[in-house]
Amino acid sequence: VFLYYWDQRDGADFSGWWFGDQVGGSQVWARCPSHGPSPPRIGWRIPWDSPKAEPGVLFVDPAGAAGGVAAPAAAAGGPAANLQTKVQQATEKVS
């Protein structure tokens, strides 16, 4: 899994921070339309084309903080019982 930033070369709707199987690839699972110098902790849309982010589904913390770069809310103690289903649905959309 890659966490990367994509600029506005493909338009505003495709810019921001992404989780995918490769940088710039077509199989992506989450997107945050933030344009800061580092990935935001919250605001991730799963699947990537969801109209809005669901609070508590994905948190992104700096390496070494909270045990890693990305943690599903279930690992962080939040409500994410259906996270696996959402990841599977996102994967099927881009496959």
Side-chain angles (χ1 to χ4, degrees), residues 38-77:
S38 57
R41 183 169 199 271
I42 59 173
W44 293 89
R45 297 175 184 190
I46 303 171
W48 70 272
D49 59 352
S50 177
K52 65 178 186 171
E54 291 185 40
V57 174
L58 176 67
F59 298 107
V60 176
D61 292 315
V69 174

